[in-house]
Amino acid sequence: MFLEPVQLVMPTDRVYDFDRSEVEARTSLWRPKILNYPVQGLGADLVSIGRVTMWKRLRKAGLPVLFQSTVHDSVDLDV
């Protein structure tokens, strides 16, 4: 039986394609590959939006700020 790929579209317009046959063939140890992608991707999208918003607000305030690192859910600044 052939099942078409499925798309999951997140609120930030990030699109994930996954194969529905993986769901059909599940066993007691089944964990789909798509399981954590939406969580990680949405987190990355929200941190990106926050980083840009923070940069604009800090520049508008005239603060001497350097972004040192932005990794996953962390933003490090030198002020």
Side-chain angles (χ1 to χ4, degrees):
M1 179 176 175
F2 177 75
L3 297 171
E4 291 185 28
V6 178
Q7 283 192 333
L8 173 63
V9 181
M10 300 301 290
T12 57
D13 288 333
R14 186 186 289 254
V15 178
Y16 296 98
D17 295 315
F18 63 100
D19 187 3
R20 192 185 302 225
S21 64
E22 189 179 277
V23 175
E24 295 293 320
R26 67 179 176 240
T27 66
S28 62
L29 301 175
W30 174 74
R31 288 189 67 180
K33 292 177 186 174
I34 192 76
L35 183 69
N36 200 32
Y37 291 177
V39 174
Q40 295 275 336
L42 182 60
D45 291 343
L46 294 177
V47 169
S48 294
I49 292 167
R51 182 176 51 237
V52 170
T53 302
M54 185 185 302
W55 174 259
K56 288 180 180 180
R57 287 183 179 192
L58 291 169
R59 285 289 143 190
K60 186 176 181 180
L63 296 172
V65 176
L66 293 175
F67 278 65
Q68 293 299 313
S69 175
T70 58
V71 180
H72 302 294
D73 59 355
S74 171
V75 178
D76 294 327
L77 305 172
D78 267 352
V79 181

